[in-house]
Amino acid sequence: MVSRPWRVLAGAGLLGAVLGLWLLGARPQFSGGGYLATGTEAARADAVLAERFHAGLPDLVLRADARSPAGSEDVSRAGLDLTVRLSRQPGVERVYSYWNTGASELLSENGRSALVVADLAGDDTATARAAARLVPRFTGAHGPLRVSATGTSYVSAQATEVSGQELLRAELLGVPLAALALLLAFGSPVAALLPVLTGLFAVLGAYPLLCALAGVMPVSALATNVATALGFGVAVDYGLLLVSRYRQELAAVEGDAHDADGRPDTRGATLRTMRTAGRTVFFSSGTIAVCLTPMLLFPLPFLRSLACAGIAVVLCCGLATAVVLPALLVLLGRWIDRGDPLARWRRARSAESPLWRRVARAATGRPVLAGGCCVLLLAASALPFAHVRFGVTDYRVLPAGLESHAVAAGIERDFSLPWDRAVTVLLPATDAVEQEAEVTAYARQLSERPDVASVVTGLGTYAHGRQVAGPTPGSLLQITMGGTWLAVTGSGPPASDPDLVQTLRALPSPGPHLVTGCPARVLDTKTALAHVLPFIGALLIGCVLVLLFLFTGSLLIPLKAVVLATLSMCASFGAMVHVFQDGHLRGLLGSFAVTGELETAMPVVMFCFAFGVSVDYELFLIARIQEEYRAGADCRTAVVNGIARTGRVITTASLLVAIAVLPLLTSHVVLLKMFGCGIALAVLVDATVVRGVLVPAFMQLAGRANWWAPAPLRRLHRRLGLHTAFVPPAPTGAVPAQQKQTVRKKIRT
């Protein structure tokens, strides 16, 4: 890369241009859903309901409001016409409405509003596209009716649309902020441009992969937002680490080491930079990718798509840093400081941070007191996580003023149909006609339970053990050849619905039965995540321990990194519960819907992403401490010097990552706001409290044991060739000519 830099940059530029042109013509179909677990009992029941009964969660729901009663002649005529026209549209399989079924649950309590429910053909992506196409045609004024829309597919379509708008707005807001922060951090426009180029290559490389995956699997629209924020955030981390080290190496040989043409030996400085900081970047990108890989094993399409986005963008970022940055550094040389008004002061200034040196000295001077105070602070921040409640994403993650959100909330308020609480009991092998007595007895038995308010079957409605209403045209849709299903409504608060689901699954029935409905889907999703979480957590921690051992050759440091990162994550989770579940600080973060729950998948997403960034900073710090220790310093001196020389870099990197995800805090989508807030808080806490105080306190207490490993593992580490030979520190200040010549030869070698 350093011997043929122009060829490298020409090839990278050509590849970037090809990817950019391809993306201009790409029309990927991203998904707005994927938050429910696949392969569960509720998912199997939903598939049977859709295939045999054409039932389940409605893809598209039109609410028709009129000034006259819905049963009046002119309103009925308009409602039937709306139903027929919608049923004739391509992509629409079935349409049910109050006017063609007479189902009372499709009529509002005041009798002036009715629902038109449509089942759409295809998977989630196809139904979302169909809903986005149909809604503009069938909403608005239609004779005496005023029509508005909601439904799962329309919510998905609007979520995709809003995510795209949020991405554009985040870029418009984030680019100026990031540019200003980069200028302050790197000093010169030339240096600040380097991580921007790296991040651009990373996003250009990851985006085509996401577009290709969208054709074979559901890819969440939020994955593009996450890939962009993470790509530029990690690129800034790597760029700052390499540029800072390159400046140190270049300043050390300034006026001394030159190439054959008499120019400063930028090649030697670049090679030395890549040999130290470049090796850290190599392990860092691999570690973050490993932290995200277990997300592929979760049974949620949403998590799998975010994992693909994160892995792709991090690996592309590491590749761009290893390929493009060395070539740019060789060609730029001292030009890297061009345009920096503080370049002379920057060269004269020590590479160390006096503030972080004082903090490290204080932490290592009284390690028990400093470490104990930090642990207590993080534990107090994690306390709200003790009362966390998990839920599944629905229309409430969208802005309240958006049509799909407003209409869905209005239906819950004005209609007796319990959209979010009805539990469906499917009897796929029970003939409701031939086994009428058994089905009736089963419905009566269920309705007698104190936790059940009503049971609706194709034969009638039951409450308190007796029939309260006969069959309706709509309820007859619950019966098909050799099968039927019942709608059960609980009488307790919403928190009791999971218990009702488990009770219905345990009770005997006339034949095999499956239980679904919104409470069942939420319960099954939580159960599926809880079932695989221990295995995936163990796999994640095991992989990180192996990678950190390969990097350091130590056993204790990887264990310390995992424990401290987990403690930092718990503190961030506590803050998320305090803000997004309990509804505090809404004025500071902007208005958002408080549901009293956290989305089930978000803690997993935050843990994997933030854990990877935490380990990333661990690598930055440990690499420098190990370098000092191998140079002959004692434990405390190595720790203090390592923190003093990396503290400014890590703090600046965490601030830049926080700024990179800052635009997500302004998002109107709760999930994006939650992700941005969680990642920003996690990296800032990790870069200051954990890296600045907890790590030096722990390493001071451990002493020489920090670098211990059993003899077989030490031999394995050396046999793999992953250890680095000691690189003597670059000289600073005036040195004898003979020593200068020796240093120059070592650098070139």
Side-chain angles (χ1 to χ4, degrees):
M1 304 307 163
V2 299
S3 61
R4 296 175 178 83
W6 286 113
R7 295 185 183 182
V8 172
L9 294 181
L14 179 61
L15 178 60
V18 171
L19 293 176
L21 291 175
W22 183 85
L23 287 177
L24 289 177
R27 295 293 182 269
Q29 299 296 334
F30 294 120
S31 169
Y35 303 103
L36 296 174
T38 58
T40 63
E41 177 178 335
R44 295 194 302 271
D46 286 336
V48 175
L49 284 170
E51 179 181 355
R52 295 177 54 184
F53 297 89
H54 311 301
L57 283 176
D59 294 317
L60 180 62
V61 178
L62 302 180
R63 173 173 177 165
D65 300 305
R67 295 183 178 180
S68 304
S72 61
E73 183 178 353
D74 57 336
V75 175
S76 296
R77 188 183 307 111
L80 282 173
D81 178 68
L82 179 68
T83 303
V84 172
R85 287 191 294 112
L86 180 60
S87 65
R88 293 174 178 174
Q89 295 296 313
V92 178
E93 290 187 338
R94 281 160 298 280
V95 177
Y96 308 108
S97 71
Y98 167 74
W99 295 286
N100 71 348
T101 65
S104 60
E105 61 267 20
L106 300 179
L107 182 65
S108 67
E109 295 180 354
N110 64 8
R112 298 180 185 274
S113 301
L115 301 181
V116 179
V117 180
D119 292 329
L120 306 179
D123 56 12
D124 291 342
T125 304
T127 57
R129 289 201 305 267
R133 173 176 51 84
L134 292 170
V135 167
R137 302 180 186 179
F138 290 90
T139 53
H142 290 266
L145 300 177
R146 190 73 182 177
V147 183
S148 52
T150 186
T152 56
S153 295
Y154 190 47
V155 169
S156 177
Q158 290 212 304
T160 303
E161 179 184 0
V162 171
S163 298
Q165 295 172 354
E166 296 287 357
L167 177 59
L168 178 60
R169 191 166 62 84
E171 291 173 348
L172 294 177
L173 177 64
V175 168
L177 288 176
L180 178 61
L182 288 172
L183 283 175
L184 294 176
F186 287 87
S188 72
V190 177
L193 190 61
L194 298 183
V196 174
L197 292 176
T198 305
L200 181 62
F201 273 102
V203 175
L204 284 177
Y207 219 90
L209 177 60
L210 293 180
C211 295
L213 288 176
V216 297
M217 63 176 282
V219 175
S220 173
L222 302 182
T224 58
N225 304 69
V226 171
T228 302
L230 184 65
F232 280 99
V234 174
V236 166
D237 276 1
Y238 295 165
L240 188 62
L241 180 65
L242 263 65
V243 169
S244 300
R245 188 60 184 253
Y246 177 73
R247 278 173 166 162
Q248 295 176 23
E249 300 298 339
L250 198 61
V253 297
E254 185 179 16
D256 174 61
H258 295 79
D259 58 17
D261 299 327
R263 294 173 299 188
D265 188 12
T266 58
R267 180 184 178 185
T270 303
L271 289 175
R272 189 181 183 97
T273 298
M274 297 306 296
R275 188 181 183 184
T276 53
R279 175 178 179 267
T280 303
V281 168
F282 170 78
F283 273 91
S284 172
S285 60
T287 302
I288 296 179
V290 166
C291 290
L292 298 178
T293 300
M295 289 173 61
L296 295 172
L297 303 179
F298 282 104
L300 271 68
F302 169 70
L303 289 180
R304 292 197 291 265
S305 64
L306 289 191
C308 292
I311 293 171
V313 77
V314 167
L315 292 181
C316 289
C317 190
L319 181 62
T321 302
V323 173
V324 179
L325 269 187
L328 288 171
L329 292 177
V330 167
L331 294 176
L332 288 174
R334 182 52 65 190
W335 277 76
I336 196 171
D337 292 328
R338 185 58 60 93
D340 183 2
L342 303 177
R344 181 176 301 178
W345 172 80
R346 191 187 304 278
R347 288 196 296 270
R349 185 186 63 172
S350 171
E352 299 181 357
S353 169
L355 173 62
W356 283 113
R357 175 174 286 276
R358 288 195 294 269
V359 171
R361 282 188 176 278
T364 54
R366 295 186 175 180
V368 176
L369 177 63
C373 290
C374 287
V375 169
L376 289 177
L377 175 63
L378 295 178
S381 301
L383 281 179
F385 193 64
H387 65 268
V388 64
R389 293 185 300 274
F390 292 111
V392 175
T393 297
D394 55 20
Y395 65 87
R396 292 173 295 179
V397 302
L398 298 178
L402 214 60
E403 182 181 12
S404 58
H405 184 144
V407 174
I411 290 175
E412 288 189 7
R413 181 182 62 251
D414 301 333
F415 287 75
S416 60
L417 182 65
W419 292 92
D420 59 341
R421 297 195 58 192
V423 180
T424 301
V425 180
L426 173 65
L427 303 173
T430 301
D431 193 318
V433 177
E434 295 184 358
Q435 299 175 266
E436 178 180 354
E438 297 179 20
V439 173
T440 300
Y442 179 61
R444 289 181 185 276
Q445 177 189 359
L446 293 181
S447 66
E448 288 175 350
R449 297 187 55 83
D451 53 352
V452 174
S454 65
V455 179
V456 179
T457 73
L459 306 173
T461 301
Y462 299 84
H464 307 296
R466 59 188 180 86
Q467 185 173 359
V468 296
T472 65
S475 63
L476 293 177
L477 298 174
Q478 297 179 226
I479 300 175
T480 188
M481 186 66 66
T484 188
W485 59 273
L486 297 76
V488 181
T489 304
S491 60
S496 65
D497 288 344
D499 295 332
L500 176 60
V501 171
Q502 294 177 334
T503 299
L504 294 176
R505 286 175 172 170
L507 288 175
S509 62
H513 69 282
L514 299 171
V515 178
T516 183
C518 193
R521 297 183 192 96
V522 174
L523 177 63
D524 285 356
T525 298
K526 294 179 183 179
T527 304
L529 286 176
H531 180 70
V532 300
L533 199 57
F535 168 74
I536 292 178
L539 178 63
L540 168 64
I541 292 175
C543 292
V544 170
L545 290 176
V546 171
L547 280 174
L548 288 178
F549 166 75
L550 295 177
F551 182 75
T552 62
S554 164
L555 280 187
L556 189 60
I557 287 179
L559 291 172
K560 178 262 301 178
V562 169
V563 172
L564 295 187
T566 303
L567 182 61
S568 176
M569 292 303 99
C570 290
S572 299
F573 291 161
M576 292 300 97
V577 172
H578 184 71
V579 174
F580 292 97
Q581 176 180 298
D582 300 340
H584 301 289
L585 303 179
R586 293 183 65 190
L588 181 62
L589 296 178
S591 179
F592 55 88
V594 178
T595 62
E597 300 173 335
L598 285 188
E599 209 290 321
T600 305
M602 284 311 297
V604 177
V605 175
M606 285 176 51
F607 181 84
C608 292
F609 277 88
F611 189 83
V613 175
S614 174
V615 175
D616 190 29
Y617 294 156
E618 177 79 7
L619 293 176
F620 291 180
L621 177 59
I622 292 301
R624 201 59 186 257
I625 293 177
Q626 189 175 32
E627 191 175 333
E628 296 287 333
Y629 186 77
R630 297 182 67 184
D634 61 83
C635 179
R636 184 182 182 188
T637 303
V639 171
V640 171
N641 289 345
I643 292 177
R645 295 179 180 180
T646 60
R648 184 185 294 124
V649 174
I650 293 177
T651 306
T652 305
S654 66
L655 287 173
L656 291 173
V657 170
I659 290 174
V661 299
L662 181 63
L664 298 181
L665 295 179
T666 66
S667 172
H668 296 100
V669 180
V670 178
L671 292 183
L672 288 178
K673 189 186 292 287
M674 191 183 303
F675 179 82
C677 180
I679 294 297
L681 181 63
V683 297
L684 291 176
V685 169
D686 190 84
T688 53
V689 177
V690 176
R691 302 297 142 216
V693 182
L694 267 180
V695 168
F698 179 89
M699 296 190 73
Q700 174 64 21
L701 291 174
R704 295 185 62 181
N706 285 305
W707 316 107
W708 176 85
L713 291 181
R714 288 200 304 271
R715 288 193 296 269
L716 174 63
H717 189 259
R718 290 188 174 275
R719 189 176 300 122
L720 293 175
L722 295 173
H723 67 288
T724 57
F726 168 62
V727 181
T732 57
V735 293
Q738 183 178 2
Q739 185 176 349
K740 291 181 180 180
Q741 184 69 17
T742 303
V743 170
R744 182 166 65 250
K745 288 182 179 180
K746 288 184 177 181
I747 292 175
R748 287 177 176 174
T749 303

